[in-house]
Amino acid sequence: MTIAPEAPTLNAPVDVRFTKAGNPLAVRYDGRIWAVTEEPVHWFTRDSWWQTRRSVPVGVGNVVDIEHWRVQVRHTSDSPLRTFELRRDPLSEQWLLESLTED
Protein backbone atom coordinates (compact mmCIF):
# COMPACT_ATOMS: atom_id res chain seq x y z
CA MET A 1 0.00 0.00 0.00
CA THR A 2 1.44 3.37 -1.01
CA ILE A 3 1.41 6.31 1.37
CA ALA A 4 -2.07 7.84 1.62
CA PRO A 5 -2.88 11.58 1.55
CA GLU A 6 -3.65 11.54 5.28
CA ALA A 7 -0.24 10.01 6.02
CA PRO A 8 2.75 12.16 7.08
CA THR A 9 4.32 14.54 4.59
CA LEU A 10 7.13 13.14 2.47
CA ASN A 11 10.62 14.62 2.58
CA ALA A 12 10.37 14.58 6.38
CA PRO A 13 13.70 14.85 8.23
CA VAL A 14 14.78 11.60 9.88
CA ASP A 15 17.77 10.45 11.91
CA VAL A 16 19.57 7.38 10.59
CA ARG A 17 21.91 5.20 12.66
CA PHE A 18 24.53 3.27 10.68
CA THR A 19 26.58 0.16 11.35
CA LYS A 20 30.38 0.36 11.35
CA ALA A 21 30.22 -1.00 7.78
CA GLY A 22 28.08 2.00 6.75
CA ASN A 23 24.68 0.30 6.38
CA PRO A 24 21.51 1.71 7.98
CA LEU A 25 20.71 0.00 11.28
CA ALA A 26 17.74 2.07 12.49
CA VAL A 27 15.69 5.14 11.54
CA ARG A 28 14.13 7.61 13.99
CA TYR A 29 10.84 8.81 12.48
CA ASP A 30 7.50 9.95 13.88
CA GLY A 31 8.77 9.68 17.46
CA ARG A 32 9.70 6.00 17.04
CA ILE A 33 12.81 3.97 16.36
CA TRP A 34 12.34 1.76 13.29
CA ALA A 35 14.79 -1.16 13.16
CA VAL A 36 16.08 -2.22 9.74
CA THR A 37 15.05 -5.88 9.28
CA GLU A 38 16.30 -6.82 5.81
CA GLU A 39 19.39 -6.11 3.70
CA PRO A 40 19.11 -2.45 2.58
CA VAL A 41 19.44 -1.32 -1.04
CA HIS A 42 21.85 1.54 -1.76
CA TRP A 43 22.20 3.70 -4.87
CA PHE A 44 23.05 7.18 -6.10
CA THR A 45 21.35 9.55 -8.53
CA ARG A 46 22.68 12.77 -9.98
CA ASP A 47 21.43 16.24 -9.09
CA SER A 48 20.33 18.42 -11.99
CA TRP A 49 22.89 21.07 -11.12
CA TRP A 50 22.19 22.96 -14.34
CA GLN A 51 18.57 23.47 -13.15
CA THR A 52 19.35 24.29 -9.51
CA ARG A 53 22.19 26.58 -10.64
CA ARG A 54 24.18 25.59 -7.60
CA SER A 55 27.57 27.25 -7.49
CA VAL A 56 30.20 26.32 -4.97
CA PRO A 57 33.81 27.22 -4.40
CA VAL A 58 36.49 25.00 -5.87
CA GLY A 59 37.42 22.10 -3.60
CA VAL A 60 34.11 21.87 -1.74
CA GLY A 61 33.56 18.29 -2.85
CA ASN A 62 30.82 16.30 -4.49
CA VAL A 63 27.82 18.52 -5.24
CA VAL A 64 25.91 16.28 -7.65
CA ASP A 65 25.50 12.80 -6.09
CA ILE A 66 22.22 12.24 -4.23
CA GLU A 67 22.49 9.24 -1.91
CA HIS A 68 19.51 6.86 -1.50
CA TRP A 69 18.71 3.89 0.73
CA ARG A 70 15.66 1.62 0.59
CA VAL A 71 15.18 -0.10 3.95
CA GLN A 72 12.53 -2.41 5.33
CA VAL A 73 11.74 -1.56 8.93
CA ARG A 74 9.56 -2.39 11.94
CA HIS A 75 9.15 -0.44 15.17
CA THR A 76 8.22 -3.57 17.16
CA SER A 77 8.69 -7.26 16.40
CA ASP A 78 4.99 -7.70 15.58
CA SER A 79 4.33 -4.38 13.81
CA PRO A 80 3.65 -4.31 10.05
CA LEU A 81 6.69 -4.28 7.79
CA ARG A 82 7.23 -0.92 6.10
CA THR A 83 9.58 0.23 3.40
CA PHE A 84 11.29 3.60 3.79
CA GLU A 85 13.11 5.30 0.94
CA LEU A 86 15.68 7.67 2.35
CA ARG A 87 17.54 10.46 0.55
CA ARG A 88 20.47 12.71 1.38
CA ASP A 89 21.15 15.60 -0.95
CA PRO A 90 24.65 16.77 -1.86
CA LEU A 91 26.29 18.96 0.78
CA SER A 92 23.64 18.01 3.36
CA GLU A 93 24.05 15.98 6.53
CA GLN A 94 20.26 15.61 6.94
CA TRP A 95 18.49 12.45 5.77
CA LEU A 96 14.95 12.79 4.41
CA LEU A 97 12.16 10.22 4.26
CA GLU A 98 11.31 10.39 0.56
CA SER A 99 8.61 7.71 0.54
CA LEU A 100 6.92 5.25 2.86
CA THR A 101 5.01 2.11 1.94
CA GLU A 102 3.36 -0.57 4.03
CA ASP A 103 4.02 -4.09 2.81
Side-chain angles (χ1 to χ4, degrees), residues 16-50:
V16 182
R17 184 172 180 189
F18 291 89
T19 66
K20 288 182 181 181
N23 292 326
L25 179 64
V27 179
R28 181 186 299 270
Y29 168 68
D30 197 27
R32 297 178 177 161
I33 302 293
W34 299 81
V36 175
T37 61
E38 304 292 328
E39 188 68 28
V41 178
H42 189 218
W43 73 96
F44 290 87
T45 57
R46 303 288 275 185
D47 184 30
S48 303
W49 58 267
W50 58 91

Side-chain angles (χ1 to χ4, degrees), residues 2-87:
T2 304
I3 193 165
E6 65 273 10
T9 305
L10 297 179
N11 293 323
V14 294
D15 295 320
V16 182
R17 184 172 180 189
F18 291 89
T19 66
K20 288 182 181 181
N23 292 326
L25 179 64
V27 179
R28 181 186 299 270
Y29 168 68
D30 197 27
R32 297 178 177 161
I33 302 293
W34 299 81
V36 175
T37 61
E38 304 292 328
E39 188 68 28
V41 178
H42 189 218
W43 73 96
F44 290 87
T45 57
R46 303 288 275 185
D47 184 30
S48 303
W49 58 267
W50 58 91
Q51 292 175 339
T52 60
R53 302 187 191 280
R54 210 179 273 170
S55 63
V56 294
V58 173
V60 166
N62 185 340
V63 296
V64 296
D65 286 335
I66 301 169
E67 187 173 6
H68 299 267
W69 285 96
R70 181 178 297 128
V71 294
Q72 291 191 309
V73 297
R74 294 181 195 271
H75 70 88
T76 64
S77 61
D78 60 345
S79 67
L81 187 65
R82 294 191 175 182
T83 302
F84 288 0
E85 286 203 21
L86 309 171
R87 182 186 85 237

Side-chain angles (χ1 to χ4, degrees), residues 82-98:
R82 294 191 175 182
T83 302
F84 288 0
E85 286 203 21
L86 309 171
R87 182 186 85 237
R88 188 174 57 85
D89 293 323
L91 302 178
S92 175
E93 296 297 318
Q94 179 65 62
W95 284 94
L96 301 173
L97 177 61
E98 187 169 71

